[in-house]
Amino acid sequence: MRTKHSLRGVLALTVMFMGRFALGVEPLPGVPAATAGQPVAAEPTEPSEAQDATRSLESRLAAVEAELAAMKEQQVTERPWEEEDLVEEFEPTLSVHGFFDLTFSYSDVPDNSPLLVYMMPYPTFLMSSVNVFVDAKPTKTFSTTVEIGFHFMPAGLYREPALYSSEGARLKDAKRDDPWIRDSATTALSFPGTTRIVRAQASYQPRDWFGITAGKFVTPYGIWNVEHAPTVVLPAHVPYLQVRQMMPLEQLGLQAFGRVFFGSSTYLDYAVTLSNGRANIVNTDIGDLDKNKALGLGLGLSYDSAGLLLKAGGYLYYGKLSDSEPRVTVNESGGFESAKMVQLSSYHELIAAFHVLTEYKGLRFQGELLTTRGTVIKPQQASVMDLALAAQDPTPGRYYQASWNGLGAYLLLAYTLPIALIEPIRIIPYAVYEYNKTRDTQPYFNVQYVAGGLTVRPQADLALKLEYVRFFLDKEIYKGDMSMYAAQIAVSF
């Protein structure tokens, strides 16, 4: 503001000086000695000319002062360096949003393949995800998130197939979930379906570099596990390394997290997790089944600038995969004698996951690699599928699940076509290759496929997908390869 006042004073002095000059007043002290100290007569000047000059200068001064006032007002309203302007008023928020998908799918399953027990061999409409989020942020540092997944299952789900002998004799009936209920007032049939708590977490984050989450949270690994909406996932299905849950998809416990910036475009994300672990491939949400707690550490380095995105990172997980049951001992009279929790099986479980993602001028490349090691502590009895497909012996109690190694990896290449005439519609062709060996002791889970498709995004919350997948399977087990065709509409709201 000092500059403005100084400029105004200079302008005023200039006007005064020029006004006096225009009126004929000699500003210099050079007067004759004989008339020193006496008034000196000025040369006559036309009054109208002097007044016009004065008015012109005064008009210019007023214009300059008005411009200075406007500049001052602008500086008052636009001064981002002022401390009071950096304080933003916080407003609490509450939002409800979610996503769902509808897929029309046809799987060309080989004749007599075991896949016919688990897959629909007819063209059919499917809906695999209906998820609803409730997000609340009552303060700047505290937030809560709840994500609920709704499913039609288990209505009509076959848990076990019917068994027949080679001669055609029926040995065992199929087992099918039958959750139908009847309204006693109207006699109408309905079924409740199922719900799944994907996450229910509370987070406190006072700084970018430190926050803590408590509750049910999504495991911070990979590219599409945390953000798994079908409008975000480019293909019509997530990779099999997620379908097989080679890494726990969710955990119940605590998570410390944060982001450290190394510049305007480069930052490091970290996460440290402590949870119950899981039983078999199911997360142990109702309580831990052993004394061990699962630990996890994730790191991710990102560079995000105009036109270029680079991400790379990994997550390391260790826990014990256990199963147990309560047992009660009674006396000869049937009275209670004792109770204890007996561990049925236990394995050390070590999992490492790595991911990389790059996007540049519409070209996208991403990949994930996941490796697992399960080391037996107390072996679990072999499953029905182990007996039928691996051991070729249906006798229960004779076989156990040994230690295993697992490997899963996929690569995806996609390109957003630079068609500016139909903005904001984005057309994205893509290709995927995945190799998955969930456990080397269970070869019937092995899968290898290539997929190609086209995703069209008319807007951010809508995706239309067409996809073809060719599966390369173990012909000895599955009687040949398989093709799948899919068309999907995915919506976020």
Side-chain angles (χ1 to χ4, degrees):
M1 300 307 174
R2 294 178 181 176
T3 304
K4 294 179 183 178
H5 293 310
S6 301
L7 180 58
R8 184 179 297 173
V10 171
L11 289 171
L13 291 174
T14 302
V15 170
M16 292 175 59
F17 173 79
M18 296 187 69
R20 293 183 60 189
F21 181 81
L23 294 173
V25 178
E26 177 60 55
L28 298 177
V31 296
T35 60
Q38 299 180 7
V40 179
E43 294 293 331
T45 308
E46 292 293 333
S48 60
E49 182 180 348
Q51 291 174 359
D52 290 344
T54 302
R55 291 192 189 98
S56 177
L57 290 171
E58 289 177 347
S59 176
R60 293 179 183 177
L61 177 60
V64 172
E65 288 182 338
E67 184 177 355
L68 290 174
M71 293 173 60
K72 179 180 179 181
E73 184 179 355
Q74 183 179 5
Q75 289 178 343
V76 169
T77 57
E78 299 179 4
R79 53 180 192 275
W81 56 86
E82 296 286 351
E83 182 178 354
E84 58 268 22
D85 290 335
L86 294 177
V87 179
E88 297 181 1
E89 185 178 355
F90 174 79
E91 294 186 2
T93 59
L94 176 65
S95 65
V96 179
H97 54 101
F99 59 80
F100 67 88
D101 63 66
L102 176 66
T103 305
F104 184 75
S105 176
Y106 169 62
S107 298
D108 186 10
V109 183
D111 293 337
N112 301 318
S113 173
L115 289 172
L116 290 169
V117 177
Y118 303 99
M119 300 189 68
M120 188 72 70
Y122 314 113
T124 182
F125 288 102
L126 300 169
M127 184 172 284
S128 58
S129 63
V130 182
N131 289 34
V132 176
F133 295 76
V134 179
D135 291 318
K137 193 173 180 63
T139 69
K140 291 185 66 175
T141 58
F142 184 75
S143 63
T144 58
T145 297
V146 175
E147 179 185 356
I148 305 294
F150 297 90
H151 302 270
F152 297 108
M153 294 301 171
L157 174 67
Y158 282 104
R159 290 195 175 272
E160 294 182 15
L163 295 183
Y164 280 76
S165 68
S166 301
E167 292 76 22
R170 188 177 181 92
L171 304 177
K172 184 179 179 182
D173 292 337
K175 288 186 178 180
R176 186 174 190 174
D177 284 321
D178 188 14
W180 294 93
I181 57 176
R182 187 183 299 276
D183 189 318
S184 58
T186 65
T187 71
L189 288 172
S190 62
F191 66 92
T194 59
T195 59
R196 182 169 67 94
I197 301 174
V198 180
R199 60 184 123 191
Q201 63 187 51
S203 299
Y204 174 68
Q205 188 175 11
R207 296 289 186 271
D208 287 338
W209 53 268
F210 177 75
I212 188 165
T213 290
K216 178 77 177 289
F217 56 87
V218 176
T219 302
Y221 93 95
I223 298 171
W224 283 329
N225 191 49
V226 177
E227 295 295 336
H228 45 258
T231 50
V232 176
V233 177
L234 200 57
H237 65 281
V238 296
Y240 273 87
L241 56 85
Q242 282 186 254
V243 174
R244 304 294 190 212
Q245 297 193 35
M246 296 180 69
M247 176 78 76
L249 303 185
E250 303 119 24
Q251 299 180 52
L252 183 66
L254 302 173
Q255 176 183 195
F257 65 95
R259 174 172 291 181
V260 179
F261 289 89
F262 299 108
S264 60
S265 303
T266 307
Y267 52 89
L268 176 72
D269 290 307
Y270 75 89
V272 181
T273 59
L274 174 68
S275 68
N276 282 343
R278 57 181 178 174
N280 293 325
I281 63 169
V282 180
N283 298 320
T284 313
D285 299 334
I286 59 174
D288 209 334
L289 300 184
D290 53 43
K291 296 180 180 180
N292 180 75
K293 289 292 177 288
L295 300 173
L297 172 63
L299 294 173
L301 185 63
S302 301
Y303 176 81
D304 189 357
S305 67
L308 177 61
L309 173 64
L310 297 172
K311 286 179 176 288
Y315 179 77
L316 184 65
Y317 172 92
Y318 168 75
K320 281 185 180 179
L321 190 151
S322 301
D323 198 5
S324 61
E325 69 175 14
R327 293 182 181 178
V328 173
T329 302
V330 296
N331 56 33
E332 295 180 355
S333 301
F336 174 82
E337 186 173 296
S338 64
K340 61 181 177 179
M341 185 69 71
V342 177
Q343 189 175 78
L344 301 178
S345 63
S346 184
Y347 296 80
H348 291 290
E349 191 175 30
L350 182 63
I351 311 171
F354 307 93
H355 69 270
V356 63
L357 167 66
T358 177
E359 287 187 359
Y360 180 68
K361 292 185 176 180
L363 185 64
R364 178 187 181 101
F365 171 80
Q366 73 182 58
E368 293 187 50
L369 172 67
L370 195 150
T371 179
T372 69
R373 171 64 181 173
T375 305
V376 63
I377 302 172
K378 185 175 183 179
Q380 181 185 32
Q381 286 195 358
S383 66
V384 174
M385 292 185 67
D386 287 329
L387 297 175
L389 299 178
Q392 297 289 315
D393 185 346
T395 307
R398 293 181 58 184
Y399 299 92
Y400 292 84
Q401 172 65 58
S403 300
W404 70 83
N405 293 307
L407 178 65
Y410 79 86
L411 299 174
L412 177 141
L413 185 65
Y415 182 61
T416 301
L417 299 180
I419 304 177
L421 296 178
I422 54 176
E423 290 288 348
I425 298 175
R426 290 184 294 166
I427 302 176
I428 311 171
Y430 63 86
V432 185
Y433 168 76
E434 182 175 6
Y435 173 83
N436 187 274
K437 182 170 64 176
T438 305
R439 294 180 179 180
D440 56 359
T441 56
Q442 297 175 323
Y444 51 84
F445 275 134
N446 295 353
V447 63
Q448 185 178 187
Y449 72 85
V450 293
L454 187 70
T455 295
V456 179
R457 287 177 175 161
Q459 52 199 46
D461 54 1
L462 177 63
L464 309 173
K465 308 175 187 180
L466 292 174
E467 184 173 274
Y468 169 76
V469 186
R470 182 67 176 179
F471 293 91
F472 306 103
L473 305 173
D474 187 326
K475 293 180 176 56
E476 185 176 340
I477 296 176
Y478 292 109
K479 314 300 182 183
D481 297 333
M482 184 184 76
S483 293
M484 184 173 69
Y485 309 84
Q488 183 183 86
I489 175 173
V491 179
S492 296
F493 57 89

